[in-house]
Structure formats: structure tokens, C-alpha cells
Amino acid sequence: MSVTAGAALRRATERLRAAGIEAPAREARLLLGLAMGLPDGAVPDPGAAIDVGRFEFLLARRAAREPLALIRGTQGFWTLDLKVSAATLIPRPDSETLIRAALAALPDRTAVRRVLDLGTGTGALLLAALAEYPHAWGIGVDVVPEAVVLAAENARRVALAGRAMFVVGCWAASLAGQFDLILTNPPYIESCGIGGLAPEVAAHEPRSALDGGTGGLQAYRDVIPDLPRLLTPDGVAVLELGFGQVEAVGALAAQQGLRRVALHPDYGGIARALVLGHRRS
Ligand SMILES: C[S@@+](CC[C@H](N)C(=O)[O-])C[C@H]1O[C@@H](n2cnc3c(N)ncnc32)[C@H](O)[C@@H]1O
């Protein structure tokens, strides 16, 4: 069946509105552009004839609250366009705070040589850091094998595969050596709070990327004790925090002899990136 883009858009907007999507007209336009194979952000011509079957397929997925990024298959992060999948978290703009924090703590772009990303997911943090530190190489670790495959694919996609390697592992357990920069955005949602998140997150992103256990702090308890042995003397670790976790995570770091170097707010003003280093003697 062939209908015009304008008519299809009006119906699609109503359908997405009924499904509880916040910006239904904008998303209907994006999905139609996708169905028509238009370049990102191009506005469909209202008079153009469209392939209704393909548009319907994409629309049904979004009406079921599947995230737009998963439907599109890609997500922008920092300067990079990354592939995403249901194996791990879709990179969030607020996680870019970790890259800003790293650049503020380690401003000499040529001095950073070794970068570690614990819970790498799509590889977003490691690849963004490698893009900023041209002499660095890095390792990304994730417990989900499909995430590791995805991260490696992203490294090739953004032409950084020569400086990035990805391994399946449980946090830093199997790692030796020292790193100038350690990045981690661990799962930090309290287990009981996951059901209350938006359907896009609760039903479509994996628990392995979200669930921080009781109180949301389990991953920090697992990761922080390894940081002192993994950091070079002047190195820093940048940890993403959930809302209201500054004090608790700061206390875990202090117990391991680490000092707070800085704390950076995200785009919404929430304390998001905690920078830690060795205590000065
Ligand atoms: C919140 S996501 C962050 C993904 C990515 N770093 C980002 O910022 O978009 C957390 C990641 O940690 C991984 N993860 C969970 N438990 C882990 C563990 N025990 N060891 C290593 N990675 C783990 C998950 O698979 C997921 O990819």
C-alpha cells in the first residue's frame, strides 16, 4: 500500500502519543526518515509516497517503547558514532562528563599512555578517551561477551582498533599492570528501583548494565579495592556515579587510601564524575 508521508506522519504521531512517547511528532518524523532511508535529521517531503510496511515495523517497535537508538542501531557519544545493541547500555550524554573530567585532570594530551575502561559496554568511554589522547592505547573489560564483540566492532568503526583491545572479564580481577587513566561507568541502579524506570530502560536495556545490587553500590565495592594497584603514581580513576552516591562512593575510596581529586556535575547539574588519585605523601 502507498500513502503520502504527510498522512502517515499524522497517524504515527497519534500512535506514539498514545504509547506515552514524550515528543511524538519529532520521533514520528525521525522514524519515517529512517524508513525512507533519508540522511539523519532530514525532513521527509509530506507529498512523497512511502513504503508503509517498513514504517509500520519501526513504528510498532517504538510504540512498544524500544529505545530509538536500538531501532536506529547507532548512538552518538562524544565525537563518535557508535553501534548499539541490546547486549549493553546505550551510551548516555551524561557519561560524557567522565571524558570532560579526565581531560581536566590529565590535560597533557601526549602524556596519557595507558587507559582502562571497566564495564566497557559499547566501548564508548575507552574509545572517546583514545580519540582525545593520541598516544594512548587501552583495554576495555566487560563481563558480557556480546558487549565485548560490539566494542571491538565499534573500535574498527571509529578507526581506533589499532590502539584498543577488549576482553571478557569480571572487573579488574584478571588484570595486571598500571594505567594512567581508569574509567568506569558501572551498573549503579538499586535492584528494587529498576522496575520503576522508564520502559525504554527497564524493559529494553540489560540488567547486567543497570543492576547495582542493594543500595546500588555493589560494583563500586568490587572495583575500588583494585584501583590503588592499577593506577600509575600520577594516574586518575574517573567513576560515574548515580544520583546521591557521592558520599558513599567517596567513603569506599577513602577506605582504600584514595583521595578525591575532583567532582564534576553532568549536563543536568547532578554530581556525576568522581575523580580519584593516590593520596599525596
Ligand atoms: C552502565 S553500563 C556502562 C557501559 C559503557 N561503559 C557506557 O558508559 O556506556 C555497565 C557495563 O558494565 C558491565 N558489567 C556488569 N558487571 C560487570 C562485571 N562484573 N565485570 C565487568 N563488566 C561488568 C555491563 O555488562 C555493562 O556493559
Side-chain angles (χ1 to χ4, degrees):
M1 190 174 59
S2 164
V3 298
T4 64
L9 266 183
R10 282 190 292 280
R11 277 207 300 273
T13 301
E14 283 323 305
R15 184 159 166 199
L16 293 182
R17 193 190 314 282
I21 305 294
E22 257 180 42
R26 189 180 71 86
E27 295 213 11
R29 257 195 324 274
L30 285 171
L31 289 171
L32 183 57
L34 207 56
M36 294 171 76
L38 300 179
D40 244 8
V43 180
D45 170 3
I50 66 155
D51 172 352
V52 179
R54 169 131 183 87
F55 187 37
E56 269 299 310
F57 173 65
L58 300 182
L59 202 55
R61 289 172 66 183
R62 188 66 189 107
R65 303 294 294 266
E66 187 172 344
L68 199 55
L70 284 185
I71 296 172
R72 199 174 39 218
T74 59
Q75 174 70 27
F77 183 79
W78 196 248
T79 55
L80 310 172
D81 183 50
L82 301 176
K83 203 173 154 195
V84 297
S85 84
T88 185
L89 196 84
I90 298 162
R92 304 292 204 268
D94 284 333
S95 299
E96 294 178 355
T97 312
L98 276 70
I99 304 300
R100 285 194 285 113
L103 292 171
L106 302 170
D108 181 350
R109 304 291 177 106
T110 60
V112 173
R113 298 296 167 128
R114 285 162 297 188
V115 183
L116 173 64
D117 178 13
L118 295 171
T120 196
T122 55
L125 292 171
L126 177 65
L127 296 172
L130 294 180
E132 297 299 330
Y133 293 111
H135 297 294
W137 61 266
I139 302 178
V141 180
D142 206 287
V143 76
V144 175
E146 293 82 359
V148 168
V149 171
L150 177 68
E153 192 179 339
N154 274 326
R156 290 191 293 276
R157 184 181 169 91
V158 300
L160 287 168
R163 295 195 283 128
M165 90 182 246
F166 296 94
V167 295
V168 178
C170 185
W171 301 130
S174 57
L175 294 176
Q178 293 194 317
F179 299 85
D180 304 307
L181 172 62
I182 300 177
L183 298 158
T184 187
N185 173 17
Y188 52 65
I189 311 290
E190 211 172 330
S191 305
C192 300
I194 291 175
L197 298 174
E200 280 83 350
V201 183
H204 294 279
E205 293 196 285
R207 243 189 133 86
S208 48
L210 304 173
D211 193 345
T214 308
L217 296 170
Q218 190 52 52
Y220 301 103
R221 289 194 192 95
D222 293 341
V223 166
I224 289 174
D226 279 319
L227 295 180
R229 77 172 171 87
L230 291 170
L231 276 177
T232 55
D234 293 321
V236 297
V238 188
L239 284 63
E240 179 159 332
L241 304 177
F243 180 75
Q245 291 179 331
V246 178
E247 296 313 321
V249 177
L252 290 170
Q255 281 165 22
Q256 300 300 323
L258 294 164
R259 75 186 165 99
R260 183 202 283 195
V261 175
L263 181 64
H264 292 257
D266 64 20
Y267 297 121
I270 293 169
R272 189 63 70 191
L274 176 64
V275 184
L276 301 171
H278 287 290
R279 205 168 273 159
R280 299 265 174 248
S281 49

